Amino acid sequence: MEKVIEKVSSKIEQEIMKQLSDAKNEAVKLIDKQYSQYFSVGRSKIEEIITKSEERVGGEKARADIELKISINNEKEYWLNRLKEELKGEIYNKMNREKYNETLEKIIVNSVDSNSVIYVAEKDEKIVKEILKKNKINSKTEIDNAIIGGVIIYHPDKGLRRDYTLNLILEQVFDSYIDKIASKLFG
Amino acid sequence: MSIIGVREYSNIGSIKGPLMVVQGISDAQYNELVEIELPNGERRTGLVIDAGMGSAIVQVFEGTSGISPSGVKARFLGRGLEVKVSEDMLGRIFDPLGTPLDGGPEIIYGERRNINGEPLNPAARQYPEEFIQTGISAIDGLNSLLRGQKLPIFSGSGLPVNQLAAQIARQATVRGEETNFAVVFGAIGVRYDEALFFRKFFEETGAINRVAFFLTFANEPPVKKILTPKTALTLAEYLAYEKDFHVLAILIDMTNYCEALREISASKEEIPGRQGYPGYMYTDLAQTYERAGIVKGKKGSITQMPILTMPNDDMTHPIPDLTGYITEGQIVLDRGLYNRGIYPPINVLMSLSRLAKDGIGEGKTRDDHKDVSNQLFASYARAIDLRGLAAIVGEDSLSEVDRKYLLFGELFERKFITQGVTENRPIEKTLDIGWEVLSELPESELTNIKLTYIKKYHPLYREKK
């Protein structure tokens, strides 16, 4: 009888232990699963914060890069404009006088008629009048001190002005060569 | 460079709308640039659009309001409309004439290019085969964009296409060549708050230094608006074919462009075509859209994503209709999806990328891409059909499998299509999400996917591994 009781007790004990062990395993699994979920949510939140911060830093850096680029280019533009102004003052004096006068004459002979008005700088008025006299062209001249060199020919009957000034040539040439000038100045 | 005497005329015959007739000129060149000086010293720019013996018609970009026939001088500059283009334009904002709008200086280094560009030699074109990752699952997964492709977005009034365009501009990249990627953004006739949105978005997300922005506002003259895509694409061509960049050109909104074209055509008293749009609108759009592609021997490329708003959500309207003939597919935004809070509201069933199949798969994206894409499309199409059926007979009358398709449809929209404005999904994540939603369906329904891929990528088999 005792042996039977012992056997049954032992069996029951084993059963209980097994169930407790199963319950424990299930509990561990549930905890693991919950932990993984919380870990995953927490991790993705942290990653989101990191990504947003990286983005914010990236944004600030990009903005700073652009502002720096604009500042540098502003500075370069200032010096290029300074150079252009200096050139305006110097270009007339550096011209080959003979070639300059020849070109003036060609322009006047080809473009001027008796109704034209020639706008010229004060320093060139004398040479233009000589050219007109030499070629027997009866045209008026007017002083325009904004002109560095060359002439503007105005045909009032056609409403047409033709610009042959050094101002325009300098503007166009400077604009075309600005890359090379900037490379020489700033590297 | 040839220097010719600049001709200045003061005989203005008449002014009509944006057009000015200059009399007494017989040597004006077609498309010659003109500078107009008003008596108060203000200067405007224009272009010769008609040249005859004794007169020339000039289209004034800034409009003709305030211009009277007397006291105005028109200076013909002897050259076409050229813009200086340069890598320095990245990170900056310009108008279509190349004038900075961000308070910065003019471009110093660069090359002058005619904004009308040169047509590409068709024999020199290379077929697009390389995948561009936009980071948006609905595009990357099912309507993949390839380098050199033209893929427009068809939107409707009030839909969040600005956010989508800005997100694509920020996220798009050619995998493995991230440093050589640039975006040229042409905003045509946009509102001030829209322009501000784009600028802030690019600045805050750090994308600003790879984006060149060309901008015209809604209240600017139509002749200036139509220059915007031309200038943007001129820079794109320079960056792509001279500097070896992979350029994504986003043009928003082509509807504003076509409306401006219609306005100008009406002022020129041209015979109108369909719905009042000019008869040459197809050619004009083609000239814009065809400035994209890959050229043999050149490392760079231009990919175009023009964006247009369909008036009344009507896809048969001339603008989307003609665009569809020229471009290689379309991404369609859906109002129903938007009303249900789905962003981006891309209707994948109406969208199509005709070149996608050539740029996805093994060695390009992932080996299962094609099969997953086909399966998602087929399953979603069935889900939509079943929604209609469920509305009539009730969901309870559907079979078990059909109910799973309904659930799949919901998950597809909520997990695959829906994503955040700043969420950038690599293609692998897009495909994994695709597998996740497909796993709701019984394996026997995945008839478009090879068994090897199911065993390799299906979540059930992955978990077991």
PDB file of all heavy atoms in Angstrom, chain A residues 55 59 63 66 69 73-74 77 159-161 163 168 172 175-176 178-179, chain B residues 1 3 6-10 84 88 90-91 105-106 110 112 170 203:
ATOM      1  N   GLU A  55      19.542  64.575 -39.558  1.00  0.00           N
ATOM      2  CA  GLU A  55      18.953  65.402 -40.611  1.00  0.00           C
ATOM      3  C   GLU A  55      19.070  66.878 -40.257  1.00  0.00           C
ATOM      4  O   GLU A  55      19.397  67.706 -41.119  1.00  0.00           O
ATOM      5  CB  GLU A  55      17.484  65.039 -40.745  1.00  0.00           C
ATOM      6  CG  GLU A  55      16.981  65.034 -42.167  1.00  0.00           C
ATOM      7  CD  GLU A  55      15.577  64.507 -42.213  1.00  0.00           C
ATOM      8  OE1 GLU A  55      14.669  65.197 -41.738  1.00  0.00           O
ATOM      9  OE2 GLU A  55      15.420  63.389 -42.737  1.00  0.00           O
ATOM     10  N   GLY A  59      21.074  69.490 -42.270  1.00  0.00           N
ATOM     11  CA  GLY A  59      20.408  70.681 -42.795  1.00  0.00           C
ATOM     12  C   GLY A  59      21.171  71.949 -42.440  1.00  0.00           C
ATOM     13  O   GLY A  59      21.385  72.822 -43.281  1.00  0.00           O
ATOM     14  N   ARG A  63      23.042  74.402 -45.060  1.00  0.00           N
ATOM     15  CA  ARG A  63      22.713  75.842 -45.081  1.00  0.00           C
ATOM     16  C   ARG A  63      23.987  76.665 -44.903  1.00  0.00           C
ATOM     17  O   ARG A  63      24.197  77.665 -45.600  1.00  0.00           O
ATOM     18  CB  ARG A  63      21.714  76.157 -43.975  1.00  0.00           C
ATOM     19  CG  ARG A  63      20.591  77.067 -44.445  1.00  0.00           C
ATOM     20  CD  ARG A  63      19.732  77.608 -43.343  1.00  0.00           C
ATOM     21  NE  ARG A  63      19.592  76.783 -42.176  1.00  0.00           N
ATOM     22  CZ  ARG A  63      18.533  76.011 -41.919  1.00  0.00           C
ATOM     23  NH1 ARG A  63      17.537  75.948 -42.757  1.00  0.00           N
ATOM     24  NH2 ARG A  63      18.485  75.298 -40.823  1.00  0.00           N
ATOM     25  N   ILE A  66      26.075  76.674 -48.084  1.00  0.00           N
ATOM     26  CA  ILE A  66      25.524  77.556 -49.118  1.00  0.00           C
ATOM     27  C   ILE A  66      25.817  79.010 -48.759  1.00  0.00           C
ATOM     28  O   ILE A  66      26.223  79.807 -49.618  1.00  0.00           O
ATOM     29  CB  ILE A  66      24.012  77.342 -49.281  1.00  0.00           C
ATOM     30  CG1 ILE A  66      23.707  75.924 -49.754  1.00  0.00           C
ATOM     31  CG2 ILE A  66      23.406  78.359 -50.246  1.00  0.00           C
ATOM     32  CD1 ILE A  66      24.284  75.573 -51.094  1.00  0.00           C
ATOM     33  N   LYS A  69      29.347  79.733 -49.490  1.00  0.00           N
ATOM     34  CA  LYS A  69      29.550  79.821 -50.950  1.00  0.00           C
ATOM     35  C   LYS A  69      29.092  81.190 -51.449  1.00  0.00           C
ATOM     36  O   LYS A  69      29.775  81.851 -52.241  1.00  0.00           O
ATOM     37  CB  LYS A  69      28.733  78.711 -51.616  1.00  0.00           C
ATOM     38  CG  LYS A  69      29.177  78.362 -53.027  1.00  0.00           C
ATOM     39  CD  LYS A  69      28.680  76.984 -53.431  1.00  0.00           C
ATOM     40  CE  LYS A  69      27.538  77.042 -54.396  1.00  0.00           C
ATOM     41  NZ  LYS A  69      27.132  75.723 -54.917  1.00  0.00           N
ATOM     42  N   ASN A  73      31.403  84.169 -53.086  1.00  0.00           N
ATOM     43  CA  ASN A  73      31.094  84.686 -54.428  1.00  0.00           C
ATOM     44  C   ASN A  73      30.778  86.176 -54.402  1.00  0.00           C
ATOM     45  O   ASN A  73      31.106  86.898 -55.351  1.00  0.00           O
ATOM     46  CB  ASN A  73      29.939  83.896 -55.053  1.00  0.00           C
ATOM     47  CG  ASN A  73      30.389  82.535 -55.561  1.00  0.00           C
ATOM     48  OD1 ASN A  73      31.562  82.331 -55.851  1.00  0.00           O
ATOM     49  ND2 ASN A  73      29.480  81.599 -55.648  1.00  0.00           N
ATOM     50  N   ASN A  74      30.156  86.641 -53.322  1.00  0.00           N
ATOM     51  CA  ASN A  74      29.893  88.083 -53.178  1.00  0.00           C
ATOM     52  C   ASN A  74      31.196  88.852 -53.156  1.00  0.00           C
ATOM     53  O   ASN A  74      31.347  89.897 -53.797  1.00  0.00           O
ATOM     54  CB  ASN A  74      29.133  88.359 -51.876  1.00  0.00           C
ATOM     55  CG  ASN A  74      27.632  88.343 -52.082  1.00  0.00           C
ATOM     56  OD1 ASN A  74      27.142  88.655 -53.166  1.00  0.00           O
ATOM     57  ND2 ASN A  74      26.899  87.957 -51.058  1.00  0.00           N
ATOM     58  N   GLU A  77      32.720  88.865 -56.552  1.00  0.00           N
ATOM     59  CA  GLU A  77      32.001  89.793 -57.433  1.00  0.00           C
ATOM     60  C   GLU A  77      32.440  91.228 -57.160  1.00  0.00           C
ATOM     61  O   GLU A  77      32.633  92.019 -58.089  1.00  0.00           O
ATOM     62  CB  GLU A  77      30.490  89.652 -57.207  1.00  0.00           C
ATOM     63  CG  GLU A  77      29.675  90.296 -58.315  1.00  0.00           C
ATOM     64  CD  GLU A  77      28.185  90.311 -58.004  1.00  0.00           C
ATOM     65  OE1 GLU A  77      27.808  90.694 -56.892  1.00  0.00           O
ATOM     66  OE2 GLU A  77      27.412  89.948 -58.901  1.00  0.00           O
ATOM     67  N   GLY A 159      14.872 106.675 -85.918  1.00  0.00           N
ATOM     68  CA  GLY A 159      14.743 106.308 -84.491  1.00  0.00           C
ATOM     69  C   GLY A 159      15.752 105.249 -84.099  1.00  0.00           C
ATOM     70  O   GLY A 159      15.503 104.416 -83.232  1.00  0.00           O
ATOM     71  N   LEU A 160      16.920 105.252 -84.755  1.00  0.00           N
ATOM     72  CA  LEU A 160      17.921 104.199 -84.543  1.00  0.00           C
ATOM     73  C   LEU A 160      19.183 104.773 -83.921  1.00  0.00           C
ATOM     74  O   LEU A 160      19.673 105.816 -84.347  1.00  0.00           O
ATOM     75  CB  LEU A 160      18.234 103.551 -85.896  1.00  0.00           C
ATOM     76  CG  LEU A 160      19.502 102.710 -86.015  1.00  0.00           C
ATOM     77  CD1 LEU A 160      19.418 101.476 -85.133  1.00  0.00           C
ATOM     78  CD2 LEU A 160      19.728 102.300 -87.460  1.00  0.00           C
ATOM     79  N   ARG A 161      19.695 104.074 -82.873  1.00  0.00           N
ATOM     80  CA  ARG A 161      20.981 104.428 -82.262  1.00  0.00           C
ATOM     81  C   ARG A 161      21.909 103.239 -82.397  1.00  0.00           C
ATOM     82  O   ARG A 161      21.525 102.121 -82.043  1.00  0.00           O
ATOM     83  CB  ARG A 161      20.804 104.706 -80.766  1.00  0.00           C
ATOM     84  CG  ARG A 161      20.325 106.082 -80.406  1.00  0.00           C
ATOM     85  CD  ARG A 161      19.838 106.071 -78.983  1.00  0.00           C
ATOM     86  NE  ARG A 161      20.924 105.902 -78.043  1.00  0.00           N
ATOM     87  CZ  ARG A 161      21.496 106.914 -77.367  1.00  0.00           C
ATOM     88  NH1 ARG A 161      21.087 108.152 -77.549  1.00  0.00           N
ATOM     89  NH2 ARG A 161      22.461 106.685 -76.522  1.00  0.00           N
ATOM     90  N   ASP A 163      25.533 101.709 -81.194  1.00  0.00           N
ATOM     91  CA  ASP A 163      26.514 101.919 -80.119  1.00  0.00           C
ATOM     92  C   ASP A 163      27.859 101.315 -80.519  1.00  0.00           C
ATOM     93  O   ASP A 163      27.986 100.100 -80.658  1.00  0.00           O
ATOM     94  CB  ASP A 163      25.978 101.254 -78.842  1.00  0.00           C
ATOM     95  CG  ASP A 163      26.793 101.596 -77.615  1.00  0.00           C
ATOM     96  OD1 ASP A 163      28.005 101.832 -77.743  1.00  0.00           O
ATOM     97  OD2 ASP A 163      26.223 101.606 -76.525  1.00  0.00           O
ATOM     98  N   LEU A 168      30.608  99.604 -74.298  1.00  0.00           N
ATOM     99  CA  LEU A 168      29.914  98.375 -74.682  1.00  0.00           C
ATOM    100  C   LEU A 168      30.904  97.238 -74.911  1.00  0.00           C
ATOM    101  O   LEU A 168      30.688  96.109 -74.473  1.00  0.00           O
ATOM    102  CB  LEU A 168      29.092  98.622 -75.953  1.00  0.00           C
ATOM    103  CG  LEU A 168      28.359  97.390 -76.486  1.00  0.00           C
ATOM    104  CD1 LEU A 168      27.271  96.945 -75.545  1.00  0.00           C
ATOM    105  CD2 LEU A 168      27.759  97.682 -77.867  1.00  0.00           C
ATOM    106  N   GLN A 172      31.040  93.680 -72.924  1.00  0.00           N
ATOM    107  CA  GLN A 172      30.870  92.373 -73.569  1.00  0.00           C
ATOM    108  C   GLN A 172      32.109  91.502 -73.399  1.00  0.00           C
ATOM    109  O   GLN A 172      32.015  90.309 -73.100  1.00  0.00           O
ATOM    110  CB  GLN A 172      30.551  92.552 -75.052  1.00  0.00           C
ATOM    111  CG  GLN A 172      29.151  93.119 -75.287  1.00  0.00           C
ATOM    112  CD  GLN A 172      28.764  93.164 -76.746  1.00  0.00           C
ATOM    113  OE1 GLN A 172      29.611  93.062 -77.623  1.00  0.00           O
ATOM    114  NE2 GLN A 172      27.482  93.336 -77.008  1.00  0.00           N
ATOM    115  N   ASP A 175      32.516  90.347 -69.802  1.00  0.00           N
ATOM    116  CA  ASP A 175      31.534  89.303 -69.503  1.00  0.00           C
ATOM    117  C   ASP A 175      31.971  87.953 -70.070  1.00  0.00           C
ATOM    118  O   ASP A 175      31.812  86.906 -69.444  1.00  0.00           O
ATOM    119  CB  ASP A 175      30.176  89.720 -70.087  1.00  0.00           C
ATOM    120  CG  ASP A 175      29.054  88.934 -69.460  1.00  0.00           C
ATOM    121  OD1 ASP A 175      29.058  88.776 -68.226  1.00  0.00           O
ATOM    122  OD2 ASP A 175      28.177  88.466 -70.203  1.00  0.00           O
ATOM    123  N   SER A 176      32.543  87.978 -71.290  1.00  0.00           N
ATOM    124  CA  SER A 176      32.949  86.714 -71.925  1.00  0.00           C
ATOM    125  C   SER A 176      34.166  86.100 -71.249  1.00  0.00           C
ATOM    126  O   SER A 176      34.308  84.891 -71.221  1.00  0.00           O
ATOM    127  CB  SER A 176      33.342  86.905 -73.376  1.00  0.00           C
ATOM    128  OG  SER A 176      32.423  87.659 -74.027  1.00  0.00           O
ATOM    129  N   ILE A 178      35.146  86.583 -68.085  1.00  0.00           N
ATOM    130  CA  ILE A 178      35.101  86.711 -66.626  1.00  0.00           C
ATOM    131  C   ILE A 178      35.618  85.455 -65.903  1.00  0.00           C
ATOM    132  O   ILE A 178      36.234  85.548 -64.838  1.00  0.00           O
ATOM    133  CB  ILE A 178      33.690  87.116 -66.150  1.00  0.00           C
ATOM    134  CG1 ILE A 178      33.747  87.642 -64.721  1.00  0.00           C
ATOM    135  CG2 ILE A 178      32.705  85.978 -66.264  1.00  0.00           C
ATOM    136  CD1 ILE A 178      32.521  88.405 -64.306  1.00  0.00           C
ATOM    137  N   ASP A 179      35.364  84.251 -66.504  1.00  0.00           N
ATOM    138  CA  ASP A 179      35.867  83.014 -65.876  1.00  0.00           C
ATOM    139  C   ASP A 179      37.377  83.056 -65.770  1.00  0.00           C
ATOM    140  O   ASP A 179      37.957  82.760 -64.733  1.00  0.00           O
ATOM    141  CB  ASP A 179      35.580  81.769 -66.735  1.00  0.00           C
ATOM    142  CG  ASP A 179      34.138  81.647 -67.062  1.00  0.00           C
ATOM    143  OD1 ASP A 179      33.478  82.671 -67.240  1.00  0.00           O
ATOM    144  OD2 ASP A 179      33.666  80.501 -67.167  1.00  0.00           O
TER     145      ASP A 179
ATOM    146  N   MET B   1      33.200  84.771 -79.665  1.00  0.00           N
ATOM    147  CA  MET B   1      32.153  85.772 -79.442  1.00  0.00           C
ATOM    148  C   MET B   1      32.269  86.883 -80.477  1.00  0.00           C
ATOM    149  O   MET B   1      33.348  87.377 -80.744  1.00  0.00           O
ATOM    150  CB  MET B   1      32.367  86.346 -78.025  1.00  0.00           C
ATOM    151  CG  MET B   1      31.362  87.391 -77.645  1.00  0.00           C
ATOM    152  SD  MET B   1      32.067  88.612 -76.519  1.00  0.00           S
ATOM    153  CE  MET B   1      33.174  89.504 -77.560  1.00  0.00           C
ATOM    154  N   ILE B   3      31.370  90.664 -81.635  1.00  0.00           N
ATOM    155  CA  ILE B   3      30.840  91.924 -81.099  1.00  0.00           C
ATOM    156  C   ILE B   3      30.230  92.690 -82.260  1.00  0.00           C
ATOM    157  O   ILE B   3      30.919  93.006 -83.213  1.00  0.00           O
ATOM    158  CB  ILE B   3      31.978  92.762 -80.467  1.00  0.00           C
ATOM    159  CG1 ILE B   3      32.650  91.947 -79.363  1.00  0.00           C
ATOM    160  CG2 ILE B   3      31.451  94.060 -79.945  1.00  0.00           C
ATOM    161  CD1 ILE B   3      33.946  92.527 -78.908  1.00  0.00           C
ATOM    162  N   VAL B   6      25.520  97.372 -81.088  1.00  0.00           N
ATOM    163  CA  VAL B   6      24.188  97.180 -80.510  1.00  0.00           C
ATOM    164  C   VAL B   6      23.264  98.213 -81.124  1.00  0.00           C
ATOM    165  O   VAL B   6      23.580  99.393 -81.158  1.00  0.00           O
ATOM    166  CB  VAL B   6      24.258  97.313 -78.983  1.00  0.00           C
ATOM    167  CG1 VAL B   6      22.875  97.383 -78.382  1.00  0.00           C
ATOM    168  CG2 VAL B   6      25.047  96.158 -78.391  1.00  0.00           C
ATOM    169  N   ARG B   7      22.131  97.735 -81.640  1.00  0.00           N
ATOM    170  CA  ARG B   7      21.203  98.647 -82.290  1.00  0.00           C
ATOM    171  C   ARG B   7      20.088  99.019 -81.318  1.00  0.00           C
ATOM    172  O   ARG B   7      19.466  98.145 -80.714  1.00  0.00           O
ATOM    173  CB  ARG B   7      20.600  98.023 -83.555  1.00  0.00           C
ATOM    174  CG  ARG B   7      21.625  97.697 -84.624  1.00  0.00           C
ATOM    175  CD  ARG B   7      22.020  96.222 -84.613  1.00  0.00           C
ATOM    176  NE  ARG B   7      20.963  95.363 -85.085  1.00  0.00           N
ATOM    177  CZ  ARG B   7      20.622  94.231 -84.477  1.00  0.00           C
ATOM    178  NH1 ARG B   7      21.220  93.837 -83.387  1.00  0.00           N
ATOM    179  NH2 ARG B   7      19.664  93.472 -84.978  1.00  0.00           N
ATOM    180  N   GLU B   8      19.848 100.310 -81.236  1.00  0.00           N
ATOM    181  CA  GLU B   8      18.841 100.779 -80.282  1.00  0.00           C
ATOM    182  C   GLU B   8      17.788 101.567 -81.062  1.00  0.00           C
ATOM    183  O   GLU B   8      18.120 102.502 -81.794  1.00  0.00           O
ATOM    184  CB  GLU B   8      19.537 101.680 -79.265  1.00  0.00           C
ATOM    185  CG  GLU B   8      18.713 101.989 -78.044  1.00  0.00           C
ATOM    186  CD  GLU B   8      19.503 102.844 -77.073  1.00  0.00           C
ATOM    187  OE1 GLU B   8      20.397 102.293 -76.405  1.00  0.00           O
ATOM    188  OE2 GLU B   8      19.245 104.055 -77.030  1.00  0.00           O
ATOM    189  N   TYR B   9      16.529 101.162 -80.882  1.00  0.00           N
ATOM    190  CA  TYR B   9      15.445 101.818 -81.617  1.00  0.00           C
ATOM    191  C   TYR B   9      14.470 102.449 -80.644  1.00  0.00           C
ATOM    192  O   TYR B   9      14.225 101.914 -79.559  1.00  0.00           O
ATOM    193  CB  TYR B   9      14.700 100.794 -82.497  1.00  0.00           C
ATOM    194  CG  TYR B   9      15.525 100.299 -83.651  1.00  0.00           C
ATOM    195  CD1 TYR B   9      16.430  99.256 -83.487  1.00  0.00           C
ATOM    196  CD2 TYR B   9      15.415 100.883 -84.909  1.00  0.00           C
ATOM    197  CE1 TYR B   9      17.193  98.806 -84.544  1.00  0.00           C
ATOM    198  CE2 TYR B   9      16.177 100.435 -85.973  1.00  0.00           C
ATOM    199  CZ  TYR B   9      17.060  99.401 -85.780  1.00  0.00           C
ATOM    200  OH  TYR B   9      17.818  98.962 -86.838  1.00  0.00           O
ATOM    201  N   SER B  10      13.903 103.562 -81.064  1.00  0.00           N
ATOM    202  CA  SER B  10      12.922 104.219 -80.197  1.00  0.00           C
ATOM    203  C   SER B  10      11.586 104.416 -80.904  1.00  0.00           C
ATOM    204  O   SER B  10      10.696 105.086 -80.396  1.00  0.00           O
ATOM    205  CB  SER B  10      13.462 105.572 -79.703  1.00  0.00           C
ATOM    206  OG  SER B  10      13.983 106.311 -80.782  1.00  0.00           O
ATOM    207  N   LYS B  84      23.991  81.711 -68.299  1.00  0.00           N
ATOM    208  CA  LYS B  84      25.270  81.145 -67.862  1.00  0.00           C
ATOM    209  C   LYS B  84      24.961  80.007 -66.910  1.00  0.00           C
ATOM    210  O   LYS B  84      24.276  80.214 -65.893  1.00  0.00           O
ATOM    211  CB  LYS B  84      26.077  82.216 -67.147  1.00  0.00           C
ATOM    212  CG  LYS B  84      27.547  81.883 -67.027  1.00  0.00           C
ATOM    213  CD  LYS B  84      28.303  83.043 -66.467  1.00  0.00           C
ATOM    214  CE  LYS B  84      29.661  83.150 -67.085  1.00  0.00           C
ATOM    215  NZ  LYS B  84      30.405  84.289 -66.619  1.00  0.00           N
ATOM    216  N   ASP B  88      28.146  75.849 -59.873  1.00  0.00           N
ATOM    217  CA  ASP B  88      27.906  76.747 -58.736  1.00  0.00           C
ATOM    218  C   ASP B  88      26.434  77.054 -58.532  1.00  0.00           C
ATOM    219  O   ASP B  88      26.039  77.644 -57.526  1.00  0.00           O
ATOM    220  CB  ASP B  88      28.641  78.085 -58.946  1.00  0.00           C
ATOM    221  CG  ASP B  88      30.130  77.936 -58.744  1.00  0.00           C
ATOM    222  OD1 ASP B  88      30.550  76.889 -58.201  1.00  0.00           O
ATOM    223  OD2 ASP B  88      30.882  78.844 -59.147  1.00  0.00           O
ATOM    224  N   LEU B  90      24.207  74.870 -58.043  1.00  0.00           N
ATOM    225  CA  LEU B  90      23.645  73.943 -57.062  1.00  0.00           C
ATOM    226  C   LEU B  90      23.589  74.623 -55.703  1.00  0.00           C
ATOM    227  O   LEU B  90      24.566  75.205 -55.254  1.00  0.00           O
ATOM    228  CB  LEU B  90      24.490  72.662 -56.987  1.00  0.00           C
ATOM    229  CG  LEU B  90      24.433  71.783 -58.238  1.00  0.00           C
ATOM    230  CD1 LEU B  90      25.439  70.639 -58.139  1.00  0.00           C
ATOM    231  CD2 LEU B  90      23.042  71.215 -58.439  1.00  0.00           C
ATOM    232  N   GLY B  91      22.441  74.570 -55.060  1.00  0.00           N
ATOM    233  CA  GLY B  91      22.257  75.232 -53.775  1.00  0.00           C
ATOM    234  C   GLY B  91      21.701  76.648 -53.898  1.00  0.00           C
ATOM    235  O   GLY B  91      21.449  77.304 -52.895  1.00  0.00           O
ATOM    236  N   PRO B 105      25.253  86.564 -55.409  1.00  0.00           N
ATOM    237  CA  PRO B 105      25.774  87.232 -56.598  1.00  0.00           C
ATOM    238  C   PRO B 105      25.454  86.440 -57.870  1.00  0.00           C
ATOM    239  O   PRO B 105      24.996  85.294 -57.812  1.00  0.00           O
ATOM    240  CB  PRO B 105      27.282  87.241 -56.351  1.00  0.00           C
ATOM    241  CG  PRO B 105      27.520  86.024 -55.532  1.00  0.00           C
ATOM    242  CD  PRO B 105      26.305  85.830 -54.691  1.00  0.00           C
ATOM    243  N   GLU B 106      25.725  87.063 -59.004  1.00  0.00           N
ATOM    244  CA  GLU B 106      25.580  86.375 -60.299  1.00  0.00           C
ATOM    245  C   GLU B 106      26.615  85.243 -60.367  1.00  0.00           C
ATOM    246  O   GLU B 106      27.615  85.260 -59.646  1.00  0.00           O
ATOM    247  CB  GLU B 106      25.877  87.358 -61.442  1.00  0.00           C
ATOM    248  CG  GLU B 106      25.030  88.611 -61.437  1.00  0.00           C
ATOM    249  CD  GLU B 106      23.833  88.475 -62.347  1.00  0.00           C
ATOM    250  OE1 GLU B 106      23.770  87.524 -63.134  1.00  0.00           O
ATOM    251  OE2 GLU B 106      22.935  89.317 -62.240  1.00  0.00           O
ATOM    252  N   GLY B 110      31.385  79.571 -65.444  1.00  0.00           N
ATOM    253  CA  GLY B 110      30.345  78.801 -66.134  1.00  0.00           C
ATOM    254  C   GLY B 110      30.394  79.018 -67.626  1.00  0.00           C
ATOM    255  O   GLY B 110      31.296  79.676 -68.153  1.00  0.00           O
ATOM    256  N   ARG B 112      28.034  80.003 -71.175  1.00  0.00           N
ATOM    257  CA  ARG B 112      26.770  80.562 -71.707  1.00  0.00           C
ATOM    258  C   ARG B 112      26.153  79.551 -72.664  1.00  0.00           C
ATOM    259  O   ARG B 112      26.823  79.076 -73.580  1.00  0.00           O
ATOM    260  CB  ARG B 112      27.017  81.866 -72.456  1.00  0.00           C
ATOM    261  CG  ARG B 112      27.266  83.027 -71.531  1.00  0.00           C
ATOM    262  CD  ARG B 112      26.867  84.361 -72.168  1.00  0.00           C
ATOM    263  NE  ARG B 112      26.790  85.377 -71.156  1.00  0.00           N
ATOM    264  CZ  ARG B 112      25.697  85.660 -70.439  1.00  0.00           C
ATOM    265  NH1 ARG B 112      24.578  85.015 -70.662  1.00  0.00           N
ATOM    266  NH2 ARG B 112      25.722  86.591 -69.519  1.00  0.00           N
ATOM    267  N   ARG B 170      14.590  65.130 -52.524  1.00  0.00           N
ATOM    268  CA  ARG B 170      15.502  64.951 -51.394  1.00  0.00           C
ATOM    269  C   ARG B 170      16.081  63.545 -51.360  1.00  0.00           C
ATOM    270  O   ARG B 170      17.243  63.356 -51.016  1.00  0.00           O
ATOM    271  CB  ARG B 170      14.739  65.233 -50.099  1.00  0.00           C
ATOM    272  CG  ARG B 170      15.568  65.052 -48.858  1.00  0.00           C
ATOM    273  CD  ARG B 170      14.742  65.283 -47.611  1.00  0.00           C
ATOM    274  NE  ARG B 170      15.300  64.487 -46.533  1.00  0.00           N
ATOM    275  CZ  ARG B 170      14.767  63.389 -46.042  1.00  0.00           C
ATOM    276  NH1 ARG B 170      13.628  62.952 -46.522  1.00  0.00           N
ATOM    277  NH2 ARG B 170      15.349  62.722 -45.077  1.00  0.00           N
ATOM    278  N   GLU B 203      16.181  73.118 -47.272  1.00  0.00           N
ATOM    279  CA  GLU B 203      17.154  73.601 -46.286  1.00  0.00           C
ATOM    280  C   GLU B 203      17.142  72.718 -45.041  1.00  0.00           C
ATOM    281  O   GLU B 203      18.187  72.308 -44.543  1.00  0.00           O
ATOM    282  CB  GLU B 203      16.833  75.046 -45.895  1.00  0.00           C
ATOM    283  CG  GLU B 203      17.321  76.057 -46.922  1.00  0.00           C
ATOM    284  CD  GLU B 203      16.971  77.481 -46.555  1.00  0.00           C
ATOM    285  OE1 GLU B 203      16.290  77.688 -45.527  1.00  0.00           O
ATOM    286  OE2 GLU B 203      17.366  78.374 -47.289  1.00  0.00           O
TER     287      GLU B 203
END
